Amino acid sequence: MRTPLVIANWKMFGTLAEARPLATGVRDGLKRFKGVDVVLCPPYTALMAVGEILQGTPIGLGAQNCHYEASGAHTGEIAPPMLVELGCRSVLIGHSERRREMGETDELVNRKVHGALAHGLTPVLCVGETAEERRQGLTFTTVEGQLRAGLAGLDAAAVGRLVVAYEPVWAIGTGVNATPQQAAEVHGYVRGLVSELASKEVAQGLRVLYGGSVKADSADALLAESEIDGALVGGASLNAQGFVSIVKKAARGAATRGE
Ligand code: PGA
């Protein structure tokens, strides 16, 4: 059985003055709450402060990006060991905003996956099609290309250490989430492909999260799908109460599915 996972992606939001009360609100809202893994991904500058607030709780700390090398002359970049030192256990890789705004290619994404794994971080590999690709019937082709490239050179055991987030680009920050059926269809496809690329066991254990305008209202239906193992939440994670309620819905979704 896959434990649901809900990740908060704060993106470029959260000065320390904002991050501290937000992290505290999530921590307090989830006191004694069990059954869902939760990770907060604040901006780099707030990692240490948020890490201190989460200390001694089961809530994990994650980063939104990393470089693929352990150190080097890469001005402005952050290396995996630096994240590990701050208590990060996971890192988002290949988010569509980075692919689009920073020109991250599938090849670079793959290097980052390898770099993160080499230092014990769980890569959360983000994939998803644009509106145009969906319109042209290229959803599976796009996701397949991103997944094959992202997982290149990994053995089955390494693939088993990943999380995949399906985030249709057209659903991110738009207020229009994929329908549970649309998401479940792609999640099933991802699992099938991972079964082929790694193994059936790895695919069965792999957590595939949905991301793109997940809100407290839309979370119930999405998280009730057996193929949807949790959520990657952007905008709605900036409100402690709203985020806590999504996490609680993930637990109910799992219960509904008999997990
Ligand atoms: P959103 O972002 O929830 O604001 O749509 C999700 C994401 O980009 O991870």
Side-chain angles (χ1 to χ4, degrees):
M1 285 300 112
R2 301 182 291 264
T3 306
L5 168 64
V6 178
I7 304 182
N9 173 13
W10 292 0
K11 308 195 180 189
M12 200 174 71
F13 293 99
T15 60
L16 288 177
E18 293 159 341
R20 283 196 179 103
L22 179 52
T24 305
V26 172
R27 179 196 66 190
D28 294 349
L30 292 174
K31 239 178 216 153
R32 287 181 289 281
F33 180 77
K34 289 201 185 74
V36 178
D37 291 337
V38 179
V39 175
L40 303 187
C41 299
Y44 289 135
T45 47
L47 281 172
M48 193 159 158
V50 170
E52 280 166 9
I53 289 165
L54 301 181
Q55 203 147 38
T57 77
I59 304 174
L61 187 67
Q64 299 173 16
N65 176 39
C66 68
H67 196 272
Y68 54 86
E69 282 185 358
S71 63
H74 304 294
T75 304
E77 291 291 320
I78 304 286
M82 299 169 181
L83 300 176
V84 172
E85 188 183 39
L86 291 178
C88 289
R89 287 179 293 197
S90 19
V91 57
L92 307 182
I93 295 184
H95 190 283
S96 66
E97 284 156 10
R98 296 203 58 83
R99 292 178 189 261
R100 189 181 64 232
E101 295 176 18
M102 316 307 288
E104 288 198 6
T105 60
D106 280 333
E107 199 220 338
L108 180 62
V109 167
N110 177 246
R111 284 179 163 207
K112 291 184 178 202
V113 167
H114 281 266
L117 284 171
H119 296 278
L121 288 164
T122 298
V124 180
L125 174 61
C126 304
V127 300
E129 81 288 359
T130 62
E132 182 59 19
E133 285 162 344
R134 177 164 280 266
R135 207 183 51 73
Q136 290 182 21
L138 295 173
T139 298
F140 294 137
T141 312
T142 303
V143 169
E144 177 183 0
Q146 291 172 339
L147 210 54
R148 278 187 190 276
L151 302 181
L154 299 181
D155 60 18
V159 176
R161 291 167 53 202
L162 256 74
V163 169
V164 172
Y166 168 57
E167 297 206 302
V169 178
W170 49 270
I172 296 178
T174 58
V176 181
N177 57 277
T179 65
Q181 293 70 27
Q182 283 173 324
E185 192 185 22
V186 179
H187 285 221
Y189 177 78
V190 165
R191 209 175 296 289
L193 189 59
V194 168
S195 173
E196 195 186 296
L197 296 173
S199 72
K200 198 161 172 242
E201 291 66 40
V202 165
Q204 281 311 315
L206 181 81
R207 289 190 285 191
V208 185
L209 312 184
Y210 167 77
S213 295
V214 174
K215 307 266 179 270
D217 321 341
S218 56
D220 272 323
L222 284 161
L223 295 167
E225 288 289 335
S226 60
E227 277 299 339
I228 303 182
D229 304 312
L232 177 51
V233 187
S237 71
L238 296 172
N239 176 284
Q241 226 185 335
F243 181 69
V244 164
S245 98
I246 293 171
V247 171
K248 293 187 172 170
K249 283 167 192 246
R252 275 207 290 281
T256 313
R257 307 191 311 247
E259 288 166 13

